[in-house]
Structure formats: C-alpha cells, structure tokens
C-alpha cells in the first residue's frame, strides 16, 4: 500500500473498542454464569481468535458485529476442544487462556501463527508451574505450541520480573481455581483491566501498590459491558494530528485508564496540544473525547514506571519524536523486543530508511529529531502497529512510502486505512 504527504487532517472519529478489554470480556464471560452482553467489541483478528477458542470449548458466543453475546457456563463449564486451539497472532489469547486451561480437567494443545510460536511463553509457564500447573513447550524452546495438562492448583505469591499484564492476568486467572489466595507483584503496575473487569463479574480481587490480590471462591455472574475506544488505536491519530501542520481532530470515547494513558502524558511533555473533553466512565473504565491540534513538538525522556502505560504506543511515539526539536530518549523498554516483532530493531531500521537519526539501544532508542523524512519501502514484518505507525509517518514525509503486508492492521484495527483517509483535507 502506498502513502504520501497530506496537507492537513480535520474531522471527528471513533476508534474501535479496546483490544485488551474485548479479549477479557469473552474469557470472563465464558467462565461466568449466565449471559454477558458486550457492546463496542473489537472485531479484530486477535479478539476473533479468542472467540474461536472459547467456542471450541463449548461456549455459545453470538457475534452480531457490534454486540457480542456470551452464554457463560461457569468456571467449570468448559469442555475439551476437538483439536488444537489456534490463538493466531494473539499473545493475549495465548497467555491468558493458559492460566485458565492449567486448571481444567482436560488437556489441550495451544498453538498460533509463526510470530506467536517465537514469542516467550516461559514467563507464564514458570509462575503457573509454581501453582501446580503442567505446561510443556512442544519443541522445548519456551514457545508455543504449548501442551497443557489440567491440574489442581495452589495459591502463590509471584514476584514477576517484568511488568506484564499478560503474565499478571494468566496467574490471576489460574488463581480463580487455586486452593488459596494468589498475589502477583510487578516492578511497575501494568494495565489493570483484568482486575477491574473480574471484580465487576463478582471476583474478590484488589490491588495494593504494585501487587494484585485474588481470593478464589466468589461466583462470577454475566454482565452488560460497553467497551471504550482503544487508546492504543487512538495513538496513531493523536500522533498524526500533532505532526501534520494545521490539523485539528476529535476522537470520541477513548479509554483513558491511568494504567494505559502514558501517551497522553508524553504528548504533554513534548508540548503536544491534547485536550480531554467529556470525561466520564464506561463500565468502570474512565473515558474521554480527545481534541488534538498540531503542535511544535520537543524531545523528551521516556523511562521507568510510565513504560508499561504506553508500551504499545512506543513505535508511534518513536516516529513522532523524529518530528520534534531535540533528542528523545526511550529507556527501560526492552519488552518491545518480544512483541509481534522486535519493535526496537524494526522501528530503528525503518525510521532510518526514511532518513531519521535514530540509534537502537539495549532497552530503547535515541531519536534525534528535526531531520526531514522521505518516503521509503517499509517492511511491516506483519506487525500491525508497525504498519499503522508508518502509514501515519508517511503522511508527514516527502515522496512516496510503500508499506509491505499493510493488511496486517486487521489484527487490531480492520478499518484503519479508511478511518485515516476520511480525515485527509486538501
Ligand atoms: C496486553 C498486555 C501488553 C500489551 C498487549 C496487550 C494485555 O502485553 O503489549 O498488546 O491485553 O494484557 P504484555 O503483558 O506482554 O506487556
């Protein structure tokens, strides 16, 4: 797909539902008793992988486009699937479902696409094994396919070396079935959608500092839920409006949970003009409309506890930093190397191809802004966030940019290119 410079952006849009919350609504709804009704569900390939896995385990899920109905059967209502469970490209599906499957009274093999079969799964195998789970990596390389033998689980206090909501959530979900309390302590707080949504379903879960605590035994009951817009998808439009001169856009109903809103803080640190309007609450998750106006950006330092709150936005932030005056340092972000692609290497290589001054470090990037960018051929590595980042970057660069495997945006944002195009102004 080819992109070139646009004069300005203007207009309003609503981004699709939050990916993390959409996944969790299916999983928790399946384990609850009774009906769960989800509005604003993200119809991206990752969330459809989660629906497909639970359907194969005997849960009736009606997907009518925007609204999804899940006929939950309670925590012990899942049945053995006929074959392997395919998690596609989705790390969230693979890791969270492992916590649930570890405690069933049947055995399952989990697999996924080429990218999933390279991503680290030891990070969930270790804590789940401490709880009594039996999980083997089929090729003994710490990756999927995973062979999970359902077992009796015990509570644990896991000190996670990484701030990862997928690890935390896998352990908490296993904790629903354990014979005692489960605690997960992280170096920094990661997104807390599992804690919020499980608690809305009736689970006894709370947070103390960087520790999430779950006591098993409470029944889970179906609920009605409206999923807010995904800030990780809004991030591409926020950056686009900031870097393209004379732009002004309004993004309606975006989730601004404080464990996810790091990009908004960074925009302010970079002198970006982002205003929150109509702040409210959607099913326990804070939301707002975001008004963005193009701005003269300046470099900043992004490190420490803010990193988990913007981890998926870092590719777009790195590209945005190329349009800022001065240097931007991204540190403490080694997790970027184990996402859908090695996002430090892929961002550095592709931004350089467009003429940017970017250096790769062990745990981030050094971006010296201010050099004009030019078009290039961008290999997205089939990573949805890389493709969307460069579609936006190309709109502020001279000449043409070709994005390879551009259709990978379907993983998290099927209508991305048409939504972006609708904002173009002459
Ligand atoms: C997610 C957690 C994050 C994030 C991913 C979704 C989740 O991953 O990058 O896109 O829904 O829990 P990690 O837990 O590996 O940081």
């Amino acid at each position: 797909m080819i992109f070139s410079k646009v004069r300005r952006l203007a207009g309003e849009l609503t981004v699709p539902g939050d990916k993390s919350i959409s996944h969790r609504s299916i999983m928790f709804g399946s384990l609850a008793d009774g009906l769960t009704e989800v509005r604003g569900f993200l119809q991206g390939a990752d969330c459809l992988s989660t629906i497909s896995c639970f359907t194969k385990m005997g849960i009736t899920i009606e997907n009518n486009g925007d609204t999804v109905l899940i006929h939950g059967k309670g925590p012990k209502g899942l049945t053995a699937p006929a074959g392997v469970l395919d998690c596609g490209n989705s790390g969230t599906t693979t890791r969270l479902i492992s916590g649930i499957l570890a405690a069933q009274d049947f055995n399952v093999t989990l697999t996924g696409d080429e990218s999933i079969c390279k991503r680290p799964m030891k990070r969930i195998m270790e804590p789940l094994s401490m709880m009594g789970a039996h999980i083997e990596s089929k090729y003994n390389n710490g990756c999927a396919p995973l062979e999970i033998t359902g077992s009796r689980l015990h509570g644990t206090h896991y000190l996670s070396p990484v701030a990862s909501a997928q690890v935390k959530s896998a352990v908490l979900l296993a904790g629903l079935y354990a014979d005692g309390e489960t605690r997960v302590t992280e170096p920094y707080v990661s997104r807390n959608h599992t804690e919020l949504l499980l608690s809305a379903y009736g689970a006894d879960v709370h947070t103390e500092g960087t520790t999430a605590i779950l006591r098993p035994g409470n029944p889970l009951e179906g609920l009605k839920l409206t999923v807010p817009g995904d800030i990780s998808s809004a991030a591409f439009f926020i950056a686009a409006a900031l870097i393209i001169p004379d732009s002004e856009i309004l993004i309606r109903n975006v989730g601004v949970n404080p464990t996810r809103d790091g990009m908004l803080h960074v925009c302010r640190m970079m002198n970006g003009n982002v205003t929150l309007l109509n702040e409210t609450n959607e099913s326990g998750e804070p939301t707002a409309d975001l008004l963005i106006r193009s701005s003269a950006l300046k470099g900043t330092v992004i490190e420490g506890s803010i990193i988990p709150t913007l981890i998926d936005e870092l590719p777009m932030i790195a590209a945005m930093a190329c349009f800022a005056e001065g240097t931007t340092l991204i540190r403490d972000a080694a997790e970027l190397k184990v996402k859908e692609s090695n996002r430090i290497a892929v961002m550095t290589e592709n931004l350089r191809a467009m003429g940017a001054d970017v250096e790769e470090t062990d745990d981030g990037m050094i971006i010296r802004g201010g050099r004009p960018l030019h078009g290039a051929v961008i290999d997205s590595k089939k990573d949805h966030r890389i493709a969307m980042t460069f579609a936006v970057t190309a709109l502020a660069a001279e000449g043409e940019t070709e994005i390879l495997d551009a259709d990978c945006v379907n993983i998290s944002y099927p209508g991305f290119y048409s939504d972006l195009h609708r904002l173009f102004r002459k």
Side-chain angles (χ1 to χ4, degrees), residues 32-109:
D33 283 301
L35 187 68
T36 286
E37 185 182 317
V38 187
R39 288 180 185 275
F41 182 85
L42 170 62
Q43 300 286 338
D46 268 10
C47 297
L48 298 180
S49 292
T50 294
I51 290 189
S52 147
C53 288
F54 282 87
T55 303
K56 283 186 186 148
M57 291 192 287
I59 305 297
T60 302
I61 301 174
E62 298 172 69
N63 185 355
N64 311 321
D66 186 63
T67 302
V68 175
L69 300 176
I70 307 145
H71 298 264
K73 288 188 177 173
K76 284 285 175 191
L78 301 179
T79 51
V84 297
L85 286 184
D86 187 351
C87 302
N89 189 248
S90 174
T92 308
T93 310
T94 313
R95 297 199 178 107
L96 269 61
I97 214 173
S98 295
I100 297 169
L101 295 176
Q104 302 305 311
D105 47 20
F106 52 83
N107 306 338
V108 184
T109 301

Side-chain angles (χ1 to χ4, degrees), residues 19-20 24 92 95 123 163-166 191 311-312 339:
K19 181 154 83 70
S20 296
R24 286 159 173 80
T92 308
R95 297 199 178 107
R123 54 178 57 201
S164 160
Q166 294 180 358
R191 63 191 67 192
I311 189 71
D312 292 339
K339 295 296 177 187

Side-chain angles (χ1 to χ4, degrees), residues 246-263:
D246 303 320
S247 298
E248 177 172 320
I249 65 165
L250 182 71
I251 316 174
R252 290 205 183 277
N253 189 38
V254 180
V256 290
N257 177 319
T259 64
R260 290 288 299 284
D261 71 350
M263 165 117 184

